[in-house]
Amino acid sequence: MGTVSKALSLLSFFSRSRSLIGLSEMSRLAGMNKTTAHRMLTELQAAGFVEQANSSREYRLGPAFLRLAALREATVPMRDLAQSVVDELAAQTGETAHVSLLNGIMLSTIAYAYAHQHGLQVTMDDAEILPLHATSSGHAVLAFSDPAFAKNALEHTLEAYTASTLTDRKMLAAKMADVRTTGLAEAISAFETDVHTHAVPLFDARQACIGAVAIAAPAARMTPELREAIRAALLESGPRLTRLMGGFLPPSYTQREAAE
Amino acid sequence: MGTVSKALSLLSFFSRSRSLIGLSEMSRLAGMNKTTAHRMLTELQAAGFVEQANSSREYRLGPAFLRLAALREATVPMRDLAQSVVDELAAQTGETAHVSLLNGIMLSTIAYAYAHQHGLQVTMDDAEILPLHATSSGHAVLAFSDPAFAKNALEHTLEAYTASTLTDRKMLAAKMADVRTTGLAEAISAFETDVHTHAVPLFDARQACIGAVAIAAPAARMTPELREAIRAALLESGPRLTRLMGGFLPPSYTQREAAE
DNA sequence: TTCGTATGGTTCATTATTTGAACCGTTGGT
DNA sequence: ACCAACGGTTCAAATAATGAACCATACGAA
């Protein structure tokens, strides 16, 4: 891993719950010498990727991302497209829909929409990070990713978020096989209790899996009818969003469709 | 300049008009060896900062910025605040308002709003980049920035965008002195012909100038009354936005107010 | 076809940069 | 006054970045 990657990895320690990080803390988190962390933060700061907050000298994410994100959206309007699809899905199914993209070995949510017909809805956070092994989106991605990638991703510790989280690699492998045949991942209370989710994979122009579109409903509200409605909506919307974003479905996905 | 800065500088070659850049082209643009450019792009790609588009193997900005921008906004809701202020300003004055932040030696627009009362409006681009020497926002920033920074920023070639662009450093210095006394920069057809703009500076928590809020009107519509309305609106909104974003006005700005 | 010239990507000895222990000067708590 | 933690800096030693030359490929012209 080169110096640039190390420097950029510092950015991943910022999160919603830890938005300010001091020099010493950062060097500890990253397992780096303080000098190294300092020089890297200085360079990131020069680029506007981090900045030092107020009176405290702690660092936080910088303003450069606003411009770069806008520029990214101007060239590849993924978020806009994803937003329009989740808006539709939420309206169709009456449940919360979201699109997450692969970012390293985690998923980041780039768009979500609530249906406003029920008082009880699964809620989402901006920039929420989802683990691959514990979410239906993650299962959809793992099932259709390069096997080497999936293997590597599951090498990491598999945290049990709930009592139902799959942490056994054999059971996960069986689940993936199942997802591959149906083209759809389903998870109940895997990441958050009493949340029932479905997800389908998304692919890029090289037919590589890049994320998933998912629908999350309160487990209590799940009926066979709702389940069918969700599955039908996702099986239509997933491929459509893939095409909208300029992607192509791989044989591993389309052959399944033909077999059905 | 360290390796990290060099790698990050590659990102600045992407723009609205040049969203795809090949390896060779990038190495030429950055004045780097192809090997170096390639390794850096590979590392940026691993972080999701660039990605290779479609069938062509050219690079473009990656999806990581979506998440990081969302996270930045979650910690520092600058854009939201800026948006609310420009919305107000556009409604008040009937002209296009925008907020731009300093990014290196350029300004990037993070929020803008149109007034919908006239057919003719100055239009803005997302992620538009403004030069410091040729815009009223730039003049506002230069006038209230650290003199060393301003000097350095003006060392670069001063492109003449229109016949009225100030490209003479002495004239620019005089202009800056003027801006410092009034607290407000005014430019007519400096960046785009027939556009008359006013701008006031914005400051961060350390009292450093970080950008400007501006109003752009068609030159043909500018009357003494409109001019006064714009100036009054900006002189109220600028300091207010500074405070909203957690910043403080420096003595160089407040003393001017006291002197008036 | 053949040639010429682009392209993206790779190799490896040379070179320059990164690294880390120890160090300051401050700050905040006891 | 003390201690501990903070952000930040120094400099020899270790490591990573660099660039010329190199493939393989793709495209257009002759």
Side-chain angles (χ1 to χ4, degrees):
Chain A
M1 191 170 67
T3 313
V4 177
S5 299
K6 282 182 209 158
L8 297 183
S9 76
L10 295 186
L11 297 173
S12 66
F13 293 106
F14 291 101
S15 70
R16 191 166 263 276
S17 55
R18 183 160 50 201
S19 60
L20 291 171
I21 305 181
L23 172 60
S24 298
E25 192 182 357
M26 183 63 92
S27 69
R28 253 180 278 116
L29 285 169
M32 286 174 179
N33 186 283
K34 223 169 24 156
T35 309
T36 309
H38 180 250
R39 191 166 29 75
M40 285 175 172
L41 284 169
T42 304
E43 295 206 59
L44 290 173
Q45 186 165 36
F49 281 32
V50 301
E51 67 178 10
Q52 286 181 287
N54 323 332
S55 43
S56 100
R57 288 178 296 181
E58 295 178 301
Y59 295 85
R60 66 180 176 202
L61 290 180
F65 295 116
L66 298 184
R67 190 180 83 79
L68 289 162
L71 209 45
R72 160 73 185 184
E73 275 301 294
T75 49
V76 189
M78 274 203 185
R79 168 171 279 155
D80 290 349
L81 296 169
Q83 190 63 54
S84 67
V85 168
V86 292
D87 285 346
E88 280 175 32
L89 280 173
Q92 269 177 43
T93 61
E95 301 295 346
T96 301
H98 66 272
V99 169
S100 307
L101 296 185
L102 201 51
N103 217 285
I105 58 156
M106 304 290 269
L107 289 169
S108 9
T109 301
I110 61 156
Y112 60 85
Y114 302 131
H116 297 292
Q117 51 198 95
H118 297 112
L120 179 65
Q121 286 287 346
V122 179
T123 56
M124 305 287 306
D125 253 346
D126 277 313
E128 186 158 20
I129 295 282
L130 305 173
L132 289 175
H133 72 284
T135 59
S136 61
S137 295
H139 294 169
V141 169
L142 287 171
F144 291 99
S145 291
D146 176 43
F149 167 80
K151 187 165 181 301
N152 176 266
L154 294 178
E155 291 297 319
H156 298 71
T157 52
L158 304 178
E159 186 181 346
Y161 294 91
T162 72
S164 312
T165 303
L166 282 181
T167 55
D168 181 85
R169 289 182 180 75
K170 285 203 171 165
M171 289 179 68
L172 272 164
K175 176 92 186 180
M176 296 306 101
D178 180 56
V179 173
R180 266 188 290 272
T181 61
T182 60
L184 205 140
E186 182 172 10
I188 306 174
S189 302
F191 185 53
E192 293 188 281
T193 47
D194 302 323
V195 173
H196 191 142
T197 62
H198 288 84
V200 292
L202 296 171
F203 302 94
D204 68 9
R206 298 176 155 183
Q207 306 188 317
C209 185
I210 50 164
V213 46
I215 293 179
R221 198 149 66 217
M222 188 58 61
T223 60
E225 293 74 33
L226 177 58
R227 187 163 172 279
E228 267 319 300
I230 287 175
R231 296 170 82 94
L234 281 177
L235 286 172
E236 184 275 326
S237 299
R240 182 158 53 87
L241 182 53
T242 285
R243 286 184 212 102
L244 281 172
M245 300 193 306
F248 294 96
L249 303 174
S252 60
Y253 188 85
T254 51
Q255 278 166 20
R256 169 208 59 83
E257 283 190 307
E260 246 180 327
Chain B
M1 191 170 66
T3 313
V4 177
S5 299
K6 282 183 210 158
L8 296 183
S9 75
L10 296 186
L11 297 173
S12 66
F13 293 106
F14 291 101
S15 68
R16 192 167 262 276
S17 55
R18 182 160 50 200
S19 60
L20 291 171
I21 306 183
L23 172 60
S24 298
E25 192 182 356
M26 182 63 93
S27 69
R28 255 180 276 114
L29 285 169
M32 286 172 178
N33 186 285
K34 221 170 24 157
T35 309
T36 308
H38 180 250
R39 190 168 27 74
M40 287 176 172
L41 285 169
T42 304
E43 296 206 61
L44 291 173
Q45 186 165 36
F49 281 32
V50 301
E51 67 178 9
Q52 286 180 288
N54 322 333
S55 43
S56 101
R57 287 177 297 181
E58 295 178 301
Y59 295 86
R60 65 180 177 202
L61 290 180
F65 295 117
L66 299 184
R67 191 180 82 80
L68 289 163
L71 210 46
R72 159 73 184 184
E73 274 301 295
T75 49
V76 189
M78 273 201 187
R79 169 172 279 156
D80 290 350
L81 296 169
Q83 190 64 54
S84 68
V85 169
V86 293
D87 285 346
E88 281 175 31
L89 280 174
Q92 271 177 41
T93 62
E95 300 296 345
T96 301
H98 66 272
V99 169
S100 306
L101 296 184
L102 201 51
N103 216 288
I105 58 156
M106 304 289 269
L107 288 169
S108 9
T109 301
I110 62 156
Y112 61 84
Y114 302 130
H116 297 291
Q117 52 198 95
H118 297 112
L120 180 65
Q121 286 286 345
V122 178
T123 56
M124 306 287 305
D125 255 345
D126 278 314
E128 186 159 22
I129 296 281
L130 306 173
L132 289 176
H133 72 284
T135 60
S136 61
S137 295
H139 294 168
V141 169
L142 287 172
F144 290 98
S145 291
D146 176 43
F149 167 81
K151 187 167 180 301
N152 176 266
L154 295 177
E155 289 297 318
H156 298 72
T157 51
L158 304 178
E159 186 181 347
Y161 294 90
T162 71
S164 311
T165 305
L166 281 181
T167 55
D168 182 84
R169 287 179 181 78
K170 285 205 171 165
M171 288 178 70
L172 272 164
K175 176 95 186 178
M176 295 308 99
D178 180 56
V179 172
R180 267 188 289 274
T181 62
T182 60
L184 207 141
E186 182 172 11
I188 306 174
S189 301
F191 185 53
E192 292 187 280
T193 47
D194 302 324
V195 173
H196 191 142
T197 62
H198 289 83
V200 292
L202 296 170
F203 301 93
D204 68 9
R206 298 178 155 180
Q207 307 188 317
C209 186
I210 51 164
V213 46
I215 294 180
R221 198 147 67 214
M222 189 57 62
T223 61
E225 294 74 31
L226 177 58
R227 187 162 172 278
E228 265 321 299
I230 287 176
R231 294 171 84 96
L234 281 176
L235 286 172
E236 184 276 325
S237 298
R240 182 157 55 87
L241 183 53
T242 285
R243 286 184 213 103
L244 281 172
M245 299 193 307
F248 294 96
L249 304 175
S252 60
Y253 189 85
T254 50
Q255 279 167 19
R256 169 206 59 80
E257 285 189 308
E260 245 179 328

